[in-house]
């Protein structure tokens, strides 16, 4: 059966060096309840008085993505948003294009389909991206009962 990998397989990731700045980015990411952008993480760190360059935030998030430690979705402008990956593997999410609310969805059928396609075609180390976006019920009916973090109240 084909092996699916979510981290890009083009090159081996650089070894993770737990510098003070990288650990601050990781800590800030785990404090967020919703998907978050590099810009938002950088702003949160600055608000806490932690000096970390925006480039370091981007590089840290990229390293976490390459090592499979975060799930990534894109917002309506194409910006990458990050959330720590659960210890039992990656998730696929349905994300509201209006407010950013996200919810994990059962993607077992997608995973099985991707495994079957890879096996049938003789591929290994297949990567896949599944993006499900829409408008949640609260946004559809015009409710303003959302928290700033993109989670419904």
């Amino acid at each position: 059966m084909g092996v699916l990998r979510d981290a890009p397989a083009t090159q081996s990731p650089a070894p993770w060096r737990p510098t003070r700045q990288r650990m601050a980015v990781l800590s800030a990411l785990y404090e967020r309840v919703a998907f978050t952008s590099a810009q938002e993480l950088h702003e949160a760190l600055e608000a806490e008085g932690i000096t970390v360059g925006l480039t370091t935030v981007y590089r840290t998030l990229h390293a976490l993505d390459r090592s499979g430690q975060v799930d990534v979705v894109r917002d309506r402008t194409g910006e990458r948003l990050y959330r720590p990956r659960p210890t039992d593997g990656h998730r696929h999410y349905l994300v509201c294009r209006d407010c950013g609310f996200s919810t994990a969805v059962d993607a077992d059928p997608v995973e099985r389909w991707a495994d079957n396609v890879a096996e049938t075609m003789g591929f290994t180390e297949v990567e896949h991206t599944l993006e499900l976006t829409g408008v949640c019920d609260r946004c559809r009916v015009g409710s303003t009962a959302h928290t700033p973090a993109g989670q419904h109240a």
Side-chain angles (χ1 to χ4, degrees), residues 1-152:
M1 181 172 273
V3 177
L4 293 176
R5 296 173 42 146
D6 293 304
T10 55
Q11 60 179 321
S12 298
W16 174 263
R17 290 189 338 252
T19 66
R20 177 190 62 79
Q21 292 173 320
R22 282 184 167 185
M23 295 309 292
V25 171
L26 189 59
S27 177
L29 182 63
Y30 273 91
E31 290 174 5
R32 309 296 284 208
V33 295
F35 279 97
T36 190
S37 70
Q39 288 276 2
E40 291 168 335
L41 280 177
H42 183 253
E43 290 169 9
L45 289 164
E46 281 188 335
E48 292 179 26
I50 300 171
T51 305
V52 176
L54 181 57
T55 300
T56 299
V57 174
Y58 275 106
R59 286 181 180 160
T60 300
L61 291 171
H62 180 73
L64 292 169
D65 182 24
R66 304 249 327 138
S67 65
Q69 296 181 58
V70 293
D71 285 328
V72 182
V73 297
R74 292 186 188 272
D75 68 9
R76 76 177 341 152
T77 67
E79 182 175 14
R80 294 169 62 91
L81 306 175
Y82 302 86
R83 174 186 266 177
R85 180 170 289 169
T87 56
D88 60 346
H90 78 282
R91 300 278 191 274
H92 294 286
Y93 297 88
L94 181 58
V95 181
C96 179
R97 287 188 298 264
D98 288 346
C99 71
F101 170 76
S102 63
T103 185
V105 297
D106 175 17
D108 288 342
V110 171
E111 300 299 334
R112 286 191 301 275
W113 171 81
D115 278 340
N116 289 338
V117 168
E119 182 178 4
T120 300
M121 302 303 289
F123 277 67
T124 61
E125 300 183 33
V126 172
E127 301 169 14
H128 69 276
T129 301
L130 175 65
E131 302 230 356
L132 298 170
T133 63
V135 178
C136 70
D137 283 342
R138 291 187 182 186
C139 288
R140 185 177 49 81
V141 296
S143 172
T144 59
H146 295 88
T147 64
Q151 298 296 308
H152 294 293

